[in-house]
Amino acid sequence: LLQLEQSNVFLSSLDDEQRWYRYHLLFGDLLRKRLPTTHSGELPVFHSRASAWYEANGFLRDAILHALDADDSKRVARLVSENILILAEGADLPELLERFHPEKLEDVCSRPWLCISIAWATAYTAQMDDAESLIDRMEASLPGRVSEEERTHLMGHGLTIRAYVQWLRGR
């Protein structure tokens, strides 16, 4: 890395200790385009490893994005559910929500706390119809799946989200 940096070849150091580097954007694009053709079978493993590294180093957004790319729904559910308030306060929330495509919503709604987290996020980004739809789907999936105590907590969040949405609508 030091040799590449000194040769000014696609790389520059971001710190005095040469622990953090940035590569040229065009070089990064080239690497991302080549990776699926050279290591297609290993992509989920690479994304999973990247997600774990980003999480361990405090980069929540990148950890979630790589978990999504790894199609690791359990990791995504844990990261989003455990960090929804942090996510809701950040500017990355709309980008993350875009990654939850409609075909992924079944998986989201099969995990009640993840569904609540995404519903909060959609409400915070003024996607009121989506928030209410998620709550409806979550409530429909609850019978027989969770304890009465957990159901009470989930329903409390659902009602709070509904109240927040009504407040946003001026009702």
Side-chain angles (χ1 to χ4, degrees), residues 78-91:
R78 182 181 59 75
L79 288 169
V80 171
S81 296
E82 290 176 359
N83 297 287
I84 191 59
L85 295 177
I86 294 168
L87 292 169
E89 293 175 0

Side-chain angles (χ1 to χ4, degrees), residues 22-61:
R22 176 181 56 220
Y23 50 82
H24 193 280
L25 293 176
L26 292 175
F27 185 59
D29 287 343
L30 171 72
L31 292 175
R32 277 187 290 282
K33 288 189 189 311
R34 288 195 60 202
L35 188 62
T37 59
T38 59
H39 295 84
S40 64
E42 297 171 274
L43 281 178
V45 173
F46 293 158
H47 284 295
S48 184
R49 287 180 187 164
S51 177
W53 186 90
Y54 280 119
E55 180 185 6
N57 287 279
F59 298 101
L60 181 59
R61 172 192 167 274

Side-chain angles (χ1 to χ4, degrees), residues 128-129 132 162-171:
M128 283 117 18
D129 292 337
E132 289 183 319
R162 288 184 194 280
Y164 178 69
V165 165
Q166 294 306 312
W167 178 76
L168 287 174
R169 289 183 168 150
R171 298 181 188 156

Side-chain angles (χ1 to χ4, degrees), residues 34-162:
R34 288 195 60 202
L35 188 62
T37 59
T38 59
H39 295 84
S40 64
E42 297 171 274
L43 281 178
V45 173
F46 293 158
H47 284 295
S48 184
R49 287 180 187 164
S51 177
W53 186 90
Y54 280 119
E55 180 185 6
N57 287 279
F59 298 101
L60 181 59
R61 172 192 167 274
D62 294 309
I64 293 170
L65 291 174
H66 280 285
L68 284 164
D69 287 337
D71 204 24
D72 187 346
S73 59
K74 288 182 181 179
R75 183 179 200 80
V76 171
R78 182 181 59 75
L79 288 169
V80 171
S81 296
E82 290 176 359
N83 297 287
I84 191 59
L85 295 177
I86 294 168
L87 292 169
E89 293 175 0
D92 300 320
L93 192 56
E95 177 189 2
L96 291 172
L97 287 174
E98 286 178 14
R99 296 290 303 271
F100 286 96
H101 302 295
E103 66 271 9
K104 298 260 187 200
L105 284 183
E106 273 313 310
D107 192 42
V108 167
C109 291
S110 70
R111 302 175 190 315
W113 285 109
L114 178 60
C115 195
I116 286 290
S117 297
I118 300 300
W120 271 118
T122 55
Y124 285 145
T125 56
Q127 299 173 51
M128 283 117 18
D129 292 337
D130 291 341
E132 289 183 319
S133 174
L134 284 165
I135 295 302
D136 291 340
R137 292 173 83 171
M138 183 275 302
E139 289 173 347
S141 74
L142 286 181
R145 296 188 61 213
V146 297
S147 69
E148 190 59 35
E149 181 181 353
E150 187 172 10
R151 182 183 177 287
T152 300
H153 283 80
L154 287 160
M155 296 298 285
H157 276 273
L159 290 170
T160 306
I161 293 167
R162 288 184 194 280

